[in-house]
Amino acid sequence: MSRRQAGVPIATVTAGAVAAAMTRRHPSLAPVSALALTLLAAATLALAAPAAGALTECSASGSWGTNRADLASQVVGLINQYRAGKGLSQLAVSQPLQASSVWKSLHMAGYGYFAHDDPAPPVGRSASQRARDCGYGGSWWGENIAWGYTSAQAVVNGWLGSSGHRANIENPNFTSTGVGVAANASGQLYWTQNFGNDTATTPPPPPPPTGDTQKPSAPAGLTVSSIGQTSLQLRWRASSDNVGVSGYGIYVGGSRIGTTTGTAVSVSGFACGGRYAVGVDAVDAAGNRSAVTTATVTMAACGGGGPVGDTVAPTTPAAITVTSTSRTSVAVRWSASSDNVAVTGYRLYRGSVRVATTAATAYMFAGLACGTRYVLGVEAIDAAGNVSARRVVTVSTRSCRLFGGF
């Protein structure tokens, strides 16, 4: 299998989420946590009836890896605790979705790849076809996968920190689930969770006790980078919680200025040469907030960040392409711009409205309307504030109609 790592876009403090990276990893690589979402950016899929004579391979080989049913059960409990905190219904365990998830995790562990679709052997097929082959009869389906996480809490926090994965977890139309966790020969864990709306065979567990008062752990490893005259970037490691972390607060000078669900943000509006205390805390669905992790930073001197009087704008981002669409989101990618000093980021636009800033060359526009045409744009910016011309692409979200349902 090929090895490929796409950049993870950094959300602005107002964007509210970090788009997930589409990755493939081999188990011989260092055990760095990885996430992936459905090829339609974690949107639900309307499934057609199985084709006549279709393959129905759903028998996992014991030689592929070790099935960790104990961890799978923990994931179901944590996801249902999180959904209860959001006022959502509990997910019942569907045996077909369970079989699909267990097969997938064992197959990834045994063959050393990381992707939603199943490569041969024993059979090459799409992820949704696998669910059908395992007996799934619902009309809607979704999937989250992960690799490298060492506990159920860690993987759930990782999924909740990604807007695409969290959309599956919070989808009110899903009523059933199945989770598979498998360890390869080296002990590395592969995680799969399927979501659906079939008639589950195992009732959901009781909701968690009310009155959650336990705070999340404070974000660790806070780092400040890309310090310019008026902007900087913050990164930190995910917090943990007895139920689930729902977001992070961003602080400047002791005041909360915004929130994000990811673990990286770009913050702007500082004064050049100024000294600031910046911080981040974690919050759960019950509103419990962790301690604030802080750092002190001095912004670049006025006139700094490039040659004095720099007025050269970066080149226009090239080759903007649409990498995936769903009913409510569009993912795009573009070629990096260049600058006489350095490009510090990219501004993203929906029509004439700026919606985010990222240091990466990919972004997912979320919260869109189904069956709607959008003009999406990106422009580059440098440390001196010079802005390139805007590159745009016109794209429509998927139809609001449900195709192929039962």
Side-chain angles (χ1 to χ4, degrees), residues 41-96:
T44 55
L45 301 181
L47 302 183
L55 292 169
T56 56
E57 172 62 49
C58 194
S59 300
S61 170
S63 64
W64 292 349
T66 302
N67 182 22
R68 292 295 306 273
D70 56 328
L71 294 177
S73 178
Q74 293 175 31
V75 170
V76 174
L78 289 169
I79 293 297
N80 274 331
Q81 284 182 331
Y82 177 81
R83 283 175 63 94
K86 291 287 187 179
L88 298 167
S89 64
Q90 302 286 276
L91 299 177
V93 175
S94 157
Q95 292 306 313

Side-chain angles (χ1 to χ4, degrees), residues 349-363:
Y349 290 82
R350 185 176 64 239
S352 60
V353 178
R354 191 168 81 197
V355 297
T357 301
T358 179
T361 56
Y363 184 74

Side-chain angles (χ1 to χ4, degrees), residues 38-47 128 140-141 322-331 365 367-374 376 394-403:
T38 62
L39 297 180
L40 292 180
T44 55
L45 301 181
L47 302 183
S128 58
W140 288 91
W141 171 90
V322 176
T323 57
S324 69
T325 61
S326 74
R327 295 168 62 236
T328 59
S329 66
V330 173
F365 292 87
L368 306 179
C370 58
T372 303
R373 188 177 179 88
Y374 289 93
L376 307 177
T394 301
V395 59
S396 295
T397 51
R398 290 181 177 267
S399 171
C400 301
R401 293 183 58 195
L402 310 185
F403 294 101

Side-chain angles (χ1 to χ4, degrees), residues 14 69 83 131 146 182 197 210 250 287 294 324 333 374 382 392 398:
T14 57
R83 283 175 63 94
N197 65 343
T210 58
I250 310 302
T294 61
S324 69
R333 184 175 300 279
Y374 289 93
D382 64 17
V392 300
R398 290 181 177 267

Side-chain angles (χ1 to χ4, degrees), residues 14-290:
T14 57
V18 177
M22 304 295 289
T23 63
R24 291 184 182 180
R25 291 178 179 268
H26 190 279
S28 64
L29 299 178
V32 179
S33 298
L35 292 172
L37 62 158
T38 62
L39 297 180
L40 292 180
T44 55
L45 301 181
L47 302 183
L55 292 169
T56 56
E57 172 62 49
C58 194
S59 300
S61 170
S63 64
W64 292 349
T66 302
N67 182 22
R68 292 295 306 273
D70 56 328
L71 294 177
S73 178
Q74 293 175 31
V75 170
V76 174
L78 289 169
I79 293 297
N80 274 331
Q81 284 182 331
Y82 177 81
R83 283 175 63 94
K86 291 287 187 179
L88 298 167
S89 64
Q90 302 286 276
L91 299 177
V93 175
S94 157
Q95 292 306 313
L97 293 180
Q98 186 83 358
S100 171
S101 297
V102 170
W103 192 99
K104 182 60 180 179
S105 289
L106 284 169
H107 195 247
M108 289 192 295
Y111 286 91
Y113 71 98
F114 185 70
H116 283 280
D117 290 345
D118 304 336
V123 56
R125 59 187 170 187
S126 68
S128 58
Q129 183 59 49
R130 174 190 358 107
R132 283 291 189 234
D133 290 350
C134 290
Y136 177 64
S139 56
W140 288 91
W141 171 90
E143 179 175 87
N144 289 347
I145 61 175
W147 171 80
Y149 290 91
T150 57
S151 71
Q153 184 69 72
V155 75
V156 170
N157 286 345
W159 281 335
L160 291 174
S162 161
S163 60
H165 301 82
R166 192 174 64 256
N168 271 343
I169 293 170
E170 295 182 352
N171 192 323
N173 296 314
F174 286 143
T175 59
S176 58
T177 191
V179 177
V181 185
N184 66 9
S186 300
Q188 295 298 316
L189 296 174
Y190 290 79
W191 308 76
T192 305
Q193 182 168 20
N194 276 200
F195 302 85
N197 65 343
D198 62 334
T199 302
T201 57
T202 303
T210 58
D212 174 25
T213 60
Q214 184 170 327
K215 299 177 181 180
S217 63
L222 177 63
T223 60
V224 185
S225 61
S226 301
I227 303 171
Q229 294 175 333
T230 62
S231 65
L232 53 79
Q233 292 174 8
L234 301 177
R235 292 181 182 273
W236 59 93
R237 294 195 296 273
S239 296
S240 60
D241 185 65
N242 64 314
V243 176
V245 174
S246 60
Y248 298 89
I250 310 302
Y251 295 79
V252 175
S255 298
R256 191 163 72 241
I257 62 168
T259 61
T260 181
T261 54
T263 56
V265 294
S266 176
V267 187
S268 59
F270 299 98
C272 57
R275 186 175 176 83
Y276 295 89
V278 295
V280 58
D281 71 353
V283 64
D284 63 20
N288 301 306
R289 307 198 75 93
S290 74

